[in-house]
């Protein structure tokens, strides 16, 4: 099959697949181990109990179960992403190693940024968000690349 | 509860939970749309037809559109899950979620740039790099790279200009 034919056929498929967006994507619950399922079920139970009525006391009382639940979900999502993407993009060994390296760098940088953001005052956060909404910068040609790590407002 | 007490309790839970590596993480097929599921059913039919062997090259080529589209769907859905769930699980507010997206977008650009460089390499150089990384056990290891600051880049450009 020629590349042009393949592209056309993939585009035809894309057209057929387009009109029905799903309501979100989830992990198959059966892919969690039994002890993990118990932690998650406990979290669901708490969520049902306190839905939109979460109090500071309720959070503190169940802190470790909430944190562990989040930890399980985050590790499984990262694992899935690192497993699926190199295969979906048909990367070879060296390209896949660059992929893994870049994902880890991204997560490290984002966490550093989170730490910087914690130092911002409430007013700075609100001003920044307002500016972002009022003047969204479009920079399609990436002419203004900069180091933007949340340090700017660290007064 | 003090932070060390919380750490100990979470640590105890981790030990009780054991190793999660024994079960692989899968996307819930019921979340896919009907046309997406039909596409995967069609791919599965082809795989089943030749099982337990893998489908031959000509069968894959004949149905290459299904294969590529299927891979694209998996990639897109895994990305969607990653981008939605990570900031939500970390209880990010609007600003933190915005930075997450910004960093994620930059991750793709950084990775594309590295892959572009790797793909430009002559085959021999690429093989040598692969051998070297494999011997050093670097293919499965990650390390910290300091991102160049704008000032450093300026200095480098000036130095390059002078050298010419």
């Amino acid at each position: 099959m020629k590349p042009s034919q393949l592209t056309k056929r993939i585009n035809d498929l894309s057209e057929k697949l387009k009109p029905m967006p799903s309501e979100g994507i989830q992990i198959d619950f059966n892919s969690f181990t039994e002890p993990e399922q118990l932690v998650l079920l406990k979290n669901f139970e708490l969520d049902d109990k306190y839905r939109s009525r979460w109090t500071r006391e309720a959070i503190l009382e169940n802190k470790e179960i909430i944190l562990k639940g989040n930890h399980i979900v985050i590790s499984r999502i990262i694992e899935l992403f690192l497993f699926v993407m190199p295969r979906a993009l048909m990367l070879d060994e060296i390209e896949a190693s660059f992929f893994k390296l870049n994902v880890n760098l991204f997560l490290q940088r984002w966490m550093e940024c989170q730490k910087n953001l914690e130092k911002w005052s409430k007013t700075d956060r609100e001003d920044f968000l307002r500016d972002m909404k009022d003047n969204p910068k479009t920079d399609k040609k990436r002419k203004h690349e900069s180091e933007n790590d949340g340090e700017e407002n660290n007064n | 509860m003090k932070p060390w007490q919380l750490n100990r309790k979470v640590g105890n839970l981790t030990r009780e939970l054991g190793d999660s590596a024994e079960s692989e993480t899968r996307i819930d097929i019921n979340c896919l749309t009907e046309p997406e599921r039909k596409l995967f059913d069609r791919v599965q039919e082809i795989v089943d037809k030749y099982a337990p062997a893998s489908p031959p090259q000509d069968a894959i080529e004949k149905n290459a559109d299904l294969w590529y589209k299927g891979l694209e769907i998996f990639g897109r859905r895994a990305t969607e899950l990653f981008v939605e769930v990570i900031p939500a699980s970390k209880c990010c507010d609007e600003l933190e979620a915005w930075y997450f997206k910004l960093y994620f977008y930059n991750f793709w650009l950084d990775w594309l740039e590295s892959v572009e460089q790797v793909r430009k390499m002559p085959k021999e150089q690429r093989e040598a790099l692969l051998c070297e990384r494999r011997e050093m056990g670097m293919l499965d290891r990650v390390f910290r790279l300091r991102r160049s600051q704008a000032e450093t880049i300026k200095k480098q450009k000036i130095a390059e200009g002078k050298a010419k």
Side-chain angles (χ1 to χ4, degrees), chain A residues 9 14 20 22 26 28 31 36 68 70 76 90 92-93 95 108 112 125 132-133 142 149, chain B residues 14 23-26 28 33 65 68-69 77 89 93-94 98 103 113 119 126 134 144:
Chain A
R9 282 175 68 173
S14 298
M20 291 173 66
S22 72
Q26 292 167 5
D28 181 353
S31 55
E36 284 176 336
K68 194 63 212 170
N70 282 354
R76 291 305 198 119
M90 294 193 289
D92 67 13
E93 212 175 346
E95 290 165 352
Q108 277 184 0
E112 275 169 24
R125 291 173 89 99
M132 289 304 304
K133 282 174 189 164
R142 295 163 53 205
D149 59 1
Chain B
T14 306
S23 76
E24 55 186 33
T25 316
R26 295 180 302 269
D28 183 354
T33 62
D65 51 341
Y68 287 128
K69 195 69 207 171
R77 292 306 201 149
S89 301
D93 64 14
E94 201 182 355
W98 179 82
Y103 274 71
E113 275 170 20
R119 288 184 180 170
R126 193 184 166 103
R134 199 177 282 150
R144 186 78 168 96

Side-chain angles (χ1 to χ4, degrees), chain A residues 4 25-26 78-80 87 93 102 109 111 138 141 145 154:
Chain A
S4 59
I25 188 88
Q26 292 167 5
I78 293 177
E79 183 193 315
L80 183 79
R87 284 158 182 84
E93 212 175 346
N102 278 289
R109 282 172 182 151
M111 282 189 268
T138 48
K141 290 181 181 172
E145 284 190 353
N154 183 15

Side-chain angles (χ1 to χ4, degrees), chain A residues 82-98:
Chain A
L82 286 175
F83 180 85
V84 171
M85 294 312 289
R87 284 158 182 84
L89 295 164
M90 294 193 289
L91 304 180
D92 67 13
E93 212 175 346
I94 194 121
E95 290 165 352
S97 83
F98 274 107

Side-chain angles (χ1 to χ4, degrees), chain B residues 56-67:
Chain B
Q57 196 54 39
D58 60 334
I60 293 179
E61 225 161 86
K62 202 175 149 194
N63 299 287
D65 51 341
L66 295 177
W67 246 262

Side-chain angles (χ1 to χ4, degrees), chain A residues 2-143:
Chain A
K2 287 178 187 168
S4 59
Q5 290 172 309
L6 180 60
T7 310
K8 193 181 168 302
R9 282 175 68 173
I10 291 178
N11 286 341
D12 291 345
L13 275 176
S14 298
E15 278 304 312
K16 283 183 206 163
L17 290 167
K18 210 171 22 184
M20 291 173 66
S22 72
E23 286 176 1
I25 188 88
Q26 292 167 5
I27 291 181
D28 181 353
F29 195 68
N30 292 322
S31 55
F32 293 104
T33 61
E34 210 179 306
E36 284 176 336
Q37 287 186 4
L38 290 176
V39 173
L40 294 175
L41 287 172
K42 182 72 191 156
N43 268 283
F44 297 156
E45 200 183 288
L46 288 171
D47 201 38
D48 281 343
K49 188 175 168 189
Y50 294 108
R51 191 177 293 272
S52 60
R53 283 180 290 112
W54 277 100
T55 57
R56 188 177 155 77
E57 287 70 36
I59 295 173
L60 288 176
E61 199 181 309
N62 299 289
K63 216 169 171 181
E64 72 264 23
I65 209 89
I66 299 171
L67 280 178
K68 194 63 212 170
N70 282 354
H71 176 227
I72 293 168
V73 172
I74 289 175
S75 4
R76 291 305 198 119
I77 298 281
I78 293 177
E79 183 193 315
L80 183 79
F81 187 67
L82 286 175
F83 180 85
V84 171
M85 294 312 289
R87 284 158 182 84
L89 295 164
M90 294 193 289
L91 304 180
D92 67 13
E93 212 175 346
I94 194 121
E95 290 165 352
S97 83
F98 274 107
F99 182 83
K100 195 175 174 183
L101 175 69
N102 278 289
V103 171
N104 279 278
L105 289 174
F106 147 66
L107 288 171
Q108 277 184 0
R109 282 172 182 151
W110 178 61
M111 282 189 268
E112 275 169 24
C113 171
Q114 291 263 85
K115 280 185 195 160
N116 289 329
L117 285 177
E118 280 169 16
K119 296 175 199 161
W120 287 24
S121 67
K122 201 182 166 200
T123 331
D124 281 340
R125 291 173 89 99
E126 284 168 1
D127 286 350
F128 186 84
L129 265 179
R130 200 173 34 249
D131 278 356
M132 289 304 304
K133 282 174 189 164
D134 291 347
N135 314 300
K137 286 175 187 164
T138 48
D139 190 11
K140 286 179 185 165
K141 290 181 181 172
R142 295 163 53 205
K143 279 180 186 168

